[in-house]
Amino acid sequence: MIPELSNPSVCMKDPQRVQKVLQSIAEAGANKLQVISDFDMTLTRFSYNGKRCPTCHNILDNSRAISSECKQKLADLLKTYYPIEIDTSLSVEEKLPLMVEWWTKAHDLLVEQKVRKDQLAEAVHESEARLRDGYEFFFNHLHKHDVPLLIFSAGIGDILEEVIRHFNVFLSNVKIFSNYMDFDESGTLRAFKGELIHVYNKREGALLNTGHFQELRTRPNVLLLGDSIGDLNMADGVQDMQNILKIGFLNDKVEERKQTYLDSYDIVLVKDETMDVPNAIVLYLT
Ligand code: C5P
Ligand code: MG
């Protein structure tokens, strides 16, 4: 039906279900569809030329806005907590307090650094951040067909916006839920706004934004894209949902995590740095 579903990176536990859901969503048409996507390591690349690509946090952590002493502390946090984030031997309940700890410690360090608003664009321009190959089609096609794209990220909203602006895809159909910085009148970071979104509380984040989903209640079909098990909850606020198709990028610790991903995502893309499969699906659905 969609030739790209035979790509070597594609794994599916139940291809028939995928077929059925795709058909139902396609028949209902573009005006019944909404897309919900994670950002870091889902819309952005995980690696490029053998090197890891940065998350929103990493873009800032590695920038000139941060002292070398603080860079070391942020790198130590990453080294401690990232393995916990992706550890399959721990339950989400066990990981939760540790994730809050990671985000809180990292955000406190960024505030201590007195990061200035005007340093963010420079941090993005000088970074190695990259959207996945084929991102132009993905963003432009959804925009052309008036399909709302919600980017739901536990990263830093201000950096995320700068990245999609940098790549010219901050289009009118894009809405963002993320952690936003709060700057004082001189443009210096003083805190983060609102409730913290980390990688395992996206359900709570979704439920805080009922207004958005209320506006989109005439669009009961959802295409969800993520790279973490926590991303599966991003659509928990969707009202009157009829169909959902979940695409998961499995970037890291593939052997350990493959079965979990196959059990949770309809389509698993193993070490696939492109948007080829999501693009083919979006084209089929609209
Ligand atoms: O956009 P997304 O929800 O994927 O953003 C969260 C990602 O940011 C996590 O997967 C985590 O590995 C990363 N992170 C980071 N540095 C932090 C906190 C989170 O790189 N201080
Ligand atoms: Mg992610």
Side-chain angles (χ1 to χ4, degrees):
M1 177 170 60
I2 298 176
E4 285 77 1
L5 288 179
S6 307
N7 285 2
S9 65
V10 174
C11 298
M12 293 178 274
K13 188 168 141 179
D14 188 352
Q16 271 158 7
R17 182 194 126 80
V18 170
Q19 193 112 334
K20 243 177 68 192
V21 174
L22 280 170
Q23 251 160 17
S24 306
I25 300 181
E27 274 163 23
N31 62 354
K32 297 288 177 202
L33 177 65
Q34 53 178 305
V35 179
I36 304 179
S37 179
D38 170 56
F39 188 68
D40 292 307
M41 311 298 125
T42 295
L43 292 177
T44 59
R45 288 184 69 120
F46 179 77
S47 73
Y48 184 67
N49 284 342
K51 247 186 82 192
R52 279 289 295 273
C53 293
T55 62
C56 290
H57 281 92
N58 304 154
I59 290 171
L60 190 57
D61 299 354
N62 302 334
S63 76
R64 281 196 257 175
I66 307 298
S67 72
S68 49
E69 192 192 333
C70 184
K71 277 194 172 82
Q72 189 54 53
K73 289 186 189 166
L74 288 160
D76 289 344
L77 290 178
L78 185 66
K79 227 171 99 190
T80 307
Y81 291 101
Y82 176 67
I84 300 173
E85 177 189 339
I86 62 164
D87 189 340
T88 43
S89 71
L90 295 171
S91 68
V92 168
E93 288 69 32
E94 288 171 301
K95 293 181 193 193
L96 258 166
L98 299 164
M99 294 299 103
V100 174
E101 213 173 88
W102 180 15
W103 261 256
T104 308
K105 284 181 181 170
H107 288 184
D108 287 350
L109 284 170
L110 295 177
V111 171
E112 268 175 36
Q113 288 293 296
K114 302 199 183 326
V115 173
R116 289 195 326 271
K117 198 176 169 61
D118 59 281
Q119 292 176 306
L120 304 184
E122 184 190 80
V124 170
H125 294 175
E126 292 184 350
S127 78
E128 314 262 293
R130 274 172 181 272
L131 295 172
R132 285 186 192 273
D133 294 2
Y135 73 88
E136 301 94 329
F137 179 87
F138 183 77
F139 280 90
N140 289 318
H141 191 79
L142 293 176
H143 180 250
K144 191 168 113 192
H145 291 270
D146 287 324
V147 175
L149 168 59
L150 170 63
I151 304 179
F152 194 155
S153 171
I156 301 173
D158 308 75
I159 301 275
L160 189 168
E161 286 192 8
E162 217 41 68
V163 174
I164 57 176
R165 201 172 287 128
H166 180 73
F167 288 101
N168 292 316
V169 287
F170 197 176
L171 305 168
S172 56
N173 61 324
V174 173
K175 166 106 188 177
I176 300 161
F177 295 171
S178 190
N179 299 303
Y180 276 90
M181 293 172 146
D182 185 13
F183 296 98
D184 68 16
E185 49 302 328
S186 74
T188 305
L189 178 64
R190 64 172 163 207
F192 279 78
K193 292 180 190 165
E195 295 294 320
L196 174 72
I197 302 173
H198 60 75
V199 75
Y200 292 115
N201 73 349
K202 290 192 173 182
R203 177 180 166 76
E204 288 72 17
L207 297 178
L208 281 173
N209 286 284
T210 44
H212 169 77
F213 295 110
Q214 174 74 17
E215 267 176 50
L216 297 189
R217 69 191 175 283
T218 58
R219 295 177 176 271
N221 295 329
V222 179
L223 178 66
L224 179 145
L225 287 85
D227 78 293
S228 159
I229 290 301
D231 296 329
L232 290 159
N233 293 109
M234 294 188 301
D236 287 6
V238 174
Q239 301 189 0
D240 307 321
M241 181 146 50
Q242 276 172 13
N243 296 289
I244 181 162
L245 188 84
K246 299 171 186 162
I247 304 178
F249 286 93
L250 178 51
N251 303 309
D252 203 4
K253 293 270 179 288
V254 169
E255 283 323 308
E256 295 91 317
R257 299 198 293 167
K258 198 166 176 184
Q259 194 54 51
T260 310
Y261 274 62
L262 281 169
D263 291 339
S264 337
Y265 281 103
D266 299 302
I267 300 174
V268 179
L269 301 174
V270 177
K271 288 205 176 292
D272 183 341
E273 294 291 352
T274 75
M275 291 300 278
D276 294 351
V277 173
N279 282 348
I281 289 177
V282 154
L283 182 63
Y284 176 80
L285 295 181
T286 53

